[in-house]
Amino acid sequence: MIEQNWSQVEAPSNIAILKYWGKKDGGQFPMNPSISFTLEKCKTKMNYKWNKRHDLQIEIVELNFEKKSNIHFQNKLNEKLKKLVSHKIFPFGVNLYIDSENTFPHSAGIASSASSMACVAKILGEIYQLEEMSEISSLARELSGSAGRSIANGWMWWGKCAVIEESSDHYAKSINKEIHPDYLSLQDWIFVCSDHEKSTSSSEGHELMQHHPYKAARQKVAFERAEMFFKMLNCSLDKKFFELLELECLDLHSLMMTSSPSIILLRPESLKLMHTIRSLRAEGINCGFTIDAGSTIHLIFPKEELHRITECERIGRLGEMGKDYKCIIKDRCKL
Ligand code: PMV
């Protein structure tokens, strides 16, 4: 018997300025702290209903994605839920029926794992009546690391680090109160550079960090950057932020390229845009790029530059749609 009517949850996607790359202690714990902000337009919405089971399993018995049954996603999620119940005790088991949809095109090259796993964690939070955001973030993290940072809006910090009080490897925490207003209205124009399937998943990428020759150096640098970013985010925005932003994502891609096996995810279109963005900054436009584990370029700039960036797009300085990129999603930080 289904005990409830359909309910709805939603969660935003997020973009990290300091990247989570590599796990520690054999679990879903980060090798280094990460910092991100959530997006306004790129979200996942899930309608769900559930009933109690006689055992302690949590199982999705029906999953529709964009109105079509999606067995692959359902099986993947059930595997994750099985792992979760093997080391977390829930008072009862549930059968779940989920209808999921994203507000962004699904071939857009934007990872939906953060927003979708955050939705699943929110569903479990509602069913088991969890009140603390940290508990829901911790569930989301177990399903997909970066999802722990998609539980609340705005700037989130995940990972134990001396600079942030009560920071934890178990859950992400909001740092909105510590952020200068300049960073609260950051814009993120997402340039989808390729519709090629990614050759390597982030789980495989995290795994490759275990024996990476630069593992210790990466950890040291990431902790130093956590402190540098945190100081910057407290003060008004300047060019140095974009320099650090770019260095950080270039480190991520360098680590991927120098892992064994080596992974190259950037496309010629991505590189072209990276050069363009640097020229715009050299001309005095406050902007920079960041990139996740893919070829999609995130052009980041403050709201004050919206006019100039829009003009650059209009005159073709950012390239031509269809030739230099597949589409642009004009998003921004959501508080
Ligand atoms: O949450 P995962 O396991 O998909 O890893 C995300 C890794 C990056 O997107 C590359 C960086 C990050 O911190 O979001």
Side-chain angles (χ1 to χ4, degrees), residues 14-16 18-21 23 28 34 113 144-147 149 202-203 206 252 291-293:
N14 70 67
I15 179 71
L18 180 61
K19 313 286 179 185
Y20 149 54
W21 201 240
K23 303 180 191 198
Q28 260 313 72
S34 59
S113 62
S144 173
S146 57
R149 301 188 313 243
S202 24
S203 318
H206 291 300
L252 169 73
I291 319 166
D292 266 347

Side-chain angles (χ1 to χ4, degrees), residues 28 68 70 81-82 93 95 110 134 142-144 155 163 174 179 182 199 209 258 268 285 314 322 326 331:
Q28 260 313 72
K68 277 194 220 131
N70 190 323
L81 290 168
K82 234 188 221 158
N95 286 322
I110 301 168
S134 56
E142 300 240 15
L143 298 169
S144 173
W155 287 85
V163 274
S174 166
I179 303 289
D182 283 359
S199 51
M209 280 311 289
T258 51
I285 301 184
R314 193 187 67 77
K326 305 291 166 211
D331 215 332

Side-chain angles (χ1 to χ4, degrees), residues 180-327:
H180 188 280
D182 283 359
Y183 293 95
L184 300 178
S185 60
L186 275 189
Q187 311 288 302
D188 178 5
W189 281 21
I190 306 166
F191 288 77
V192 179
C193 290
S194 161
D195 41 26
H196 283 73
E197 245 331 272
K198 258 200 323 189
S199 51
T200 316
S201 68
S202 24
S203 318
E204 288 166 298
H206 291 300
E207 193 52 44
L208 292 173
M209 280 311 289
Q210 283 313 322
H211 306 288
H212 200 290
Y214 303 140
K215 179 177 173 179
R218 164 61 187 163
Q219 255 181 318
K220 184 172 175 286
V221 166
F223 273 86
E224 283 165 9
R225 276 189 196 148
E227 207 164 317
M228 284 158 85
F229 268 128
F230 189 60
K231 274 193 195 135
M232 279 182 186
L233 293 170
N234 271 275
C235 309
S236 57
L237 189 149
D238 84 355
K239 205 172 95 191
K240 286 205 165 60
F241 170 75
F242 295 110
E243 286 162 5
L244 193 59
L245 181 76
E246 292 182 0
L247 266 187
E248 172 57 15
C249 71
L250 292 173
D251 257 14
L252 169 73
H253 280 263
S254 310
L255 289 164
M256 287 192 274
M257 289 188 216
T258 51
S259 61
S260 179
S262 158
I263 314 164
I264 302 180
L265 297 178
L266 295 174
R267 312 283 310 173
E269 295 87 339
S270 326
L271 280 169
K272 195 171 165 190
L273 254 167
M274 289 155 73
H275 283 292
T276 306
I277 294 168
R278 287 209 166 161
S279 338
L280 296 181
R281 191 161 70 249
E283 288 166 30
I285 301 184
N286 239 343
C287 65
F289 59 80
T290 186
I291 319 166
D292 266 347
S295 59
T296 297
I297 302 292
H298 294 250
L299 166 59
I300 309 288
F301 55 95
K303 202 170 152 204
E304 293 67 44
E305 295 289 11
L306 193 53
H307 185 72
R308 287 209 281 180
I309 297 282
T310 304
E311 184 56 14
C312 288
E313 187 211 356
R314 193 187 67 77
I315 61 171
R317 284 220 48 202
L318 298 174
E320 197 185 308
M321 176 134 92
K323 183 169 153 253
D324 300 309
Y325 53 85
K326 305 291 166 211
C327 67

